Amino acid sequence: MSKWLEFMPRALLATQIVLVFGFTPQVTAATGYGLGRPATPAEIAGWDIDVRPDGQGLPPGRGSVAEGEKIYGEKCASCHGDFGDNPQYAQLAGGVGSLAGSSPVWTVGSALNNATTLFDYINRAMPFPNPKSLTPDEVYALSAYILNLSNIVPADAVLDQKTLPQVKMPNRDGFILFPGLMTAHGKSDIHAVACMHDCVKQVKVISELPAGFTEKFFGDISQEFRGLNTMNQTGEPQWVRVALNDSSAAPPSGYALAQKNGCTACHATDHKIVGPAYRDVAAKYQGDAQALEKLKAKVRKGGAGVWGEVPMPPQTQVSDGDLDAILKWVLSGGATTP
Amino acid sequence: MSEPKPRYGRIVLAPEDFLPTRGLSRRAFFDLLAAGGAAAVSAAVAGRAQADDANLPPHVPPWSKRLGAPVNAAYGQPSPYERNIIRREDPGLTPTREASVVFTPLQNLFGIITPSGLHFERDHGGRPDINPYEHRLMIHGLVRQPKIYTVEDILRFPSVSRIHFIECGANSAMEVRNVSVPTVQYTHGMLGCSEFTGVLLSTLLDDVGYDKKRARFILAEGADAASLTRTIPIEAALDDAMVVYGQNGEMLRPENGYPLRLLVPGFQGISNVKWLRRLKVGDQPFNTREETLHYSDLMPDGKTRQYTWIQEAKSVITSPSGGQQLLDRGYYQITGLAWSGRGKIRRVDVSTDGGRNWHPARLQDPILSKALTRFRFDWHWDGSPALLQSRCIDETGYVQPTVTQWRAVRGTRSIYHYNAIQTWKVDPDGKVSNVQVA
């Protein structure tokens, strides 16, 4: 014990002496773990991408609605629709003023409170298959175009570090704080009591699944229970034998590569998403010896017209090797199970 | 007076109960044919005709008469007979599988710990494959010394292990307006509970010398494609929030944030930012996309509640539950889970008549703060229709509301924080299904 006390101050002193020559005199001396290292301004600048409602964090740059329209057509419209109106993906435009009505339409235009959040999100997360690939100018332009789709900024608007935070969003004052749900010790706004006996006069079923719904959308749900102890049967369920004889393991690598390269965001094997079903692509090019090379070029460059109006954005992120493997797999039918 | 005829459910009898199964039914035969082809069928039929009763007492099954497999030095997997106990997608819920969710099979789990491989996964830009040697955690903003930590640094800090639940803020969202999914996997399966190991966030904030006067909010950011961001209030950050690397004794699984994630116990799932790369200390909330356009609550008056972090008390019966089938009258153990983002569960009541009468359930130790609590209740089914419900009360005295009480306050426009009492209907034929009652 006394030994410890004796050594303690000296140990601390030693840390301090070392640290005077380092970067962090007070901080690390206080805890003394000596872990981590100072982050340099350049390192911070590379990652510090968030933008606050007051505009803090916005990079220099500018972009107009017209510039945004062009980029949007190339990189965003395939998923979000020409006018930001495809509800299949997050809807970007429309619905302004609808939130208090009987059928609210929740979009960037109708619901967002600050344009800075739109910039922040596009900059970090879009386009969905290639995030962090846009320049600040492009993000300003895309923000301007998306806001113009809901008539929040005029068609000749140019947004930059100064003007973007000033955009008055229709729902700017639509957000409120409810302290009851902000801390563990807050008070709820729902006050039920724990009655024990004769609590309701008559119990009425007010909602259940329509007949056939479960089978149609979920298939045979009895399969989703353990054969033992689920009450569904006392014997061995049928799938056991089938499963034990079935060698289907991981999906083949073509599918894994398509997933890795973001193709599955727009393509599935057996149904159209944004792009055609891979099964249909295989059928179309069956017997075409040039198909592989043609499709390689097409996927790299992107483009529209073969399957419809919607273009495929250029897929520059995928390596030659991956693309070759993916397309061979696509042309073989794109099976997700052997 | 004759006895009322017992009305059994769809029983597939165990061989020893009735006649030994000689071969397969016609229906089963065709299913097998479709699934595995002729070879599988003949193998299965042959195996089955000889196996079933031959493996039962008084006979001795083959696995008792020959050596088993050698010890397994690889990562152990569940028995092949558990193959259908997996996470599942709600078909058609999301347009892409990278911004999507798979649900925990609560109907098949015991106790309170969710096996890591069955813990629900919700991603907004796919699941990144992160090299832990190249992963960094940056802490900056209102701090004396902005720092970068390697994963090794984080593993060297003084650590704590704690059991907590993680529930997505949108858990049960599909049920806000009406019943729309069949089983507890989909109604409540954006829920998991693990033993997490990591460093208290307060330890790291001290290490960078956070500005005690001005620091009020922290931005947490992921290293995934979405670089998902959320605002964490400083009180929670200094209270029990952790930077986590361990889950159930091993490193986090990739789908749950490998190698580092934030854990803010009791908060909406999304606050527990996965693949954590950056913490920025600030003096204002950050108003990110995930706390404006999403994970905010549109109220009946058209106003939207923002930063509603806390997951209020909730419970659900996991068995019997939707999709199950009571095979006969008699004894059933009703069991389920209860949890609260405000602390411990104090009591759980069970009703078998749709909420007219309630009976206290038994709670299983340990009862931990902001963790799942397992409850059990003995029930003898007499074959008449039943409506099974559970209702929990947490240590603050908050009582889980009915569907009607919840909607009266929150309306039906918001999809978040839906914690109303769940009802499972038991038909006279033993079929259990998802319903809502008033």
Side-chain angles (χ1 to χ4, degrees):
Chain A
M1 182 73 187
S2 63
K3 215 167 174 190
W4 173 241
L5 283 176
E6 196 182 305
F7 282 112
M8 190 62 175
R10 239 200 288 161
L12 270 180
L13 199 65
T15 336
Q16 268 166 351
I17 290 167
V18 171
L19 285 167
V20 167
F21 299 98
F23 294 88
T24 63
Q26 312 96 320
V27 182
T28 315
T31 52
Y33 300 118
L35 297 169
R37 62 168 175 82
T40 68
E43 286 173 325
I44 295 173
W47 280 15
D48 185 13
I49 56 173
D50 59 277
V51 178
R52 289 202 318 199
D54 60 5
Q56 190 192 89
L58 278 172
R62 56 163 297 289
S64 69
V65 172
E67 287 155 356
E69 180 172 11
K70 190 158 165 291
I71 307 162
Y72 183 91
E74 287 160 12
K75 298 185 174 173
C76 322
S78 54
C79 291
H80 290 290
D82 283 342
F83 304 103
D85 53 352
N86 181 3
Q88 203 196 345
Y89 288 84
Q91 196 173 332
L92 303 183
V96 173
S98 71
L99 298 189
S102 58
S103 39
V105 180
W106 186 266
T107 74
V108 171
S110 69
L112 193 58
N113 51 356
N114 291 287
T116 46
T117 303
L118 176 61
F119 183 102
D120 174 281
Y121 182 69
I122 296 173
N123 186 47
R124 70 176 59 245
M126 288 292 138
F128 192 62
N130 309 85
K132 305 179 190 73
S133 60
L134 301 168
T135 65
D137 285 357
E138 287 178 315
V139 182
Y140 279 114
L142 285 164
S143 305
Y145 178 68
I146 290 171
L147 294 172
N148 177 253
L149 286 174
S150 295
N151 298 317
I152 297 167
V153 300
D156 59 359
V158 175
L159 295 182
D160 59 25
Q161 252 174 324
K162 202 163 145 281
T163 53
L164 183 105
Q166 290 163 1
V167 171
K168 174 107 173 64
M169 298 297 284
N171 200 35
R172 171 166 280 191
D173 303 321
F175 284 81
I176 51 171
L177 296 180
F178 172 62
L181 286 175
M182 294 178 73
T183 62
H185 45 85
K187 283 270 164 292
S188 185
D189 51 346
I190 304 180
H191 310 283
V193 285
C195 163
M196 294 305 280
H197 299 293
D198 296 324
C199 305
V200 233
K201 278 214 179 67
Q202 215 195 344
V203 178
K204 228 177 59 207
V205 170
I206 54 169
S207 176
E208 49 191 324
L209 293 175
F213 177 93
T214 301
E215 294 74 7
K216 179 163 176 218
F217 292 102
F218 293 85
D220 177 8
I221 54 169
S222 70
Q223 300 282 318
E224 303 182 4
F225 294 82
R226 178 179 290 112
L228 302 160
N229 98 319
T230 63
M231 306 164 197
N232 280 354
Q233 52 242 316
T234 57
E236 164 188 303
Q238 224 176 75
W239 67 264
V240 167
R241 292 288 148 156
V242 178
L244 292 178
N245 286 320
D246 159 13
S247 59
S248 81
S253 61
Y255 180 72
L257 288 174
Q259 250 184 336
K260 180 182 126 196
N261 287 288
C263 316
T264 47
C266 295
H267 292 283
T269 294
D270 51 5
H271 61 275
K272 176 178 184 299
I273 307 181
V274 173
Y278 281 149
R279 211 173 45 193
D280 297 340
V281 176
K284 181 177 169 68
Y285 294 101
Q286 198 174 17
D288 178 346
Q290 260 75 63
L292 183 63
E293 290 311 314
K294 265 197 305 209
L295 291 178
K296 268 189 202 166
K298 163 76 170 268
V299 173
R300 279 259 179 266
K301 280 215 221 78
V306 180
W307 299 89
E309 302 284 286
V310 178
M312 168 163 57
Q315 303 296 312
T316 47
Q317 79 287 1
V318 48
S319 71
D320 286 338
D322 277 8
L323 186 55
D324 188 70
I326 295 170
L327 289 174
K328 281 183 181 147
W329 165 76
V330 168
L331 290 170
S332 75
T336 48
T337 48
Chain B
M1 249 189 65
S2 63
E3 276 282 307
K5 244 178 132 183
R7 281 176 292 188
Y8 297 118
R10 182 175 52 103
I11 304 184
V12 180
L13 291 157
E16 66 264 46
D17 284 354
F18 269 72
L19 299 170
T21 327
R22 300 270 176 228
L24 296 169
S25 70
R26 248 179 90 75
R27 182 61 222 282
F29 183 88
F30 286 119
D31 285 353
L32 268 180
L33 199 63
V41 173
S42 50
V45 171
R48 182 132 185 157
Q50 294 152 15
D52 288 333
D53 40 352
N55 288 345
L56 300 172
H59 308 293
V60 177
W63 53 82
S64 305
K65 294 196 284 196
R66 59 171 183 246
L67 272 180
V71 290
N72 181 5
Y75 197 104
Q77 298 298 316
S79 157
Y81 296 94
E82 297 294 308
R83 229 175 108 134
N84 60 344
I85 313 305
I86 51 171
R87 293 176 285 215
R88 291 171 196 275
E89 292 169 272
D90 179 354
L93 187 67
T94 56
T96 81
R97 300 189 67 213
E98 291 81 9
S100 194
V101 59
V102 285
F103 297 81
T104 303
L106 297 174
Q107 70 273 25
N108 296 307
L109 302 185
F110 314 116
I112 60 169
I113 297 293
T114 311
S116 300
L118 296 177
H119 195 288
F120 80 97
E121 172 182 11
R122 170 77 169 112
D123 305 333
H124 283 270
R127 172 181 61 256
D129 172 16
I130 295 181
N131 175 346
Y133 301 96
E134 293 175 355
H135 184 77
R136 296 290 182 271
L137 173 63
M138 178 186 285
I139 309 185
H140 71 123
L142 300 175
V143 302
R144 254 177 295 165
Q145 177 59 66
K147 279 183 133 186
I148 286 183
Y149 300 98
T150 62
V151 177
E152 192 205 345
D153 287 330
I154 300 298
L155 265 81
R156 285 180 59 195
F157 273 99
S159 59
V160 295
S161 293
R162 291 178 183 173
I163 295 176
H164 288 299
F165 75 81
I166 292 182
E167 182 189 22
C168 177
N171 197 22
S172 312
M174 287 95 82
E175 303 286 298
V176 168
R177 292 182 185 90
N178 48 259
V179 165
S180 77
V181 290
T183 72
V184 72
Q185 182 158 13
Y186 306 106
T187 58
H188 290 76
M190 288 196 271
L191 173 70
C193 183
S194 307
E195 187 210 52
F196 290 106
T197 300
V199 189
L200 284 175
L201 182 51
S202 56
T203 305
L204 296 176
L205 290 173
D206 280 338
D207 197 54
V208 293
Y210 78 100
D211 183 333
K212 295 197 166 114
K213 286 216 187 70
R214 289 161 67 213
R216 292 197 49 219
F217 299 96
I218 291 171
L219 182 77
E221 181 179 80
D224 55 328
S227 290
L228 187 132
T229 42
R230 285 275 289 186
T231 299
I232 312 296
I234 193 77
E235 304 81 59
L238 294 175
D239 179 15
D240 53 0
M242 295 162 68
V243 171
V244 162
Y245 43 81
Q247 181 180 7
N248 298 331
E250 57 185 359
M251 284 295 284
L252 291 163
R253 295 287 171 93
E255 63 268 38
N256 273 296
Y258 185 87
L260 296 178
R261 84 176 298 168
L262 189 65
L263 182 73
V264 193
F267 272 38
Q268 280 185 325
I270 190 167
S271 293
N272 305 290
V273 174
K274 299 192 283 189
W275 312 296
L276 185 69
R277 77 159 190 178
R278 189 164 73 97
L279 293 165
K280 180 182 192 174
V281 181
D283 56 2
Q284 291 175 23
F286 291 85
N287 201 69
T288 74
R289 180 245 188 185
E290 313 298 346
E291 50 206 24
T292 49
L293 288 169
H294 302 270
Y295 304 95
S296 60
D297 317 338
L298 181 57
M299 301 301 287
D301 63 0
K303 292 281 187 207
T304 302
R305 287 181 177 173
Q306 202 177 5
Y307 306 120
T308 49
W309 291 302
I310 300 297
Q311 293 294 97
E312 295 186 284
K314 185 166 171 179
S315 73
V316 66
I317 293 172
T318 53
S319 184
S321 63
Q324 290 187 339
Q325 170 94 44
L326 307 190
L327 296 176
D328 200 352
R329 304 156 179 222
Y331 172 77
Y332 290 94
Q333 174 180 262
I334 293 176
T335 181
L337 297 164
W339 62 99
S340 168
R342 298 194 196 274
K344 291 181 184 174
I345 289 297
R346 180 194 289 166
R347 193 175 98 202
V348 178
D349 300 322
V350 166
S351 170
T352 58
D353 59 7
R356 292 182 75 167
N357 298 290
W358 293 89
H359 318 276
R362 295 191 305 279
L363 300 189
Q364 169 70 59
D365 285 343
I367 301 167
L368 302 169
S369 182
K370 306 176 188 178
L372 296 187
T373 298
R374 172 68 62 179
F375 66 85
R376 300 190 177 93
F377 180 77
D378 295 322
W379 182 47
H380 288 268
W381 185 47
D382 63 5
S384 51
L387 292 166
L388 308 183
Q389 298 184 330
S390 66
R391 171 185 73 191
C392 67
I393 304 171
D394 71 12
E395 65 177 313
T396 71
Y398 173 88
V399 179
Q400 185 183 6
T402 64
V403 173
T404 312
Q405 288 163 338
W406 193 92
R407 287 188 189 142
V409 178
R410 305 269 174 89
T412 54
R413 293 152 177 230
S414 170
I415 60 162
Y416 301 104
H417 295 292
Y418 182 71
N419 67 331
I421 290 171
Q422 167 71 39
T423 308
W424 304 115
K425 182 175 84 161
V426 182
D427 285 336
D429 67 358
K431 225 169 130 70
V432 187
S433 61
N434 181 10
V435 300
Q436 289 176 346
V437 299

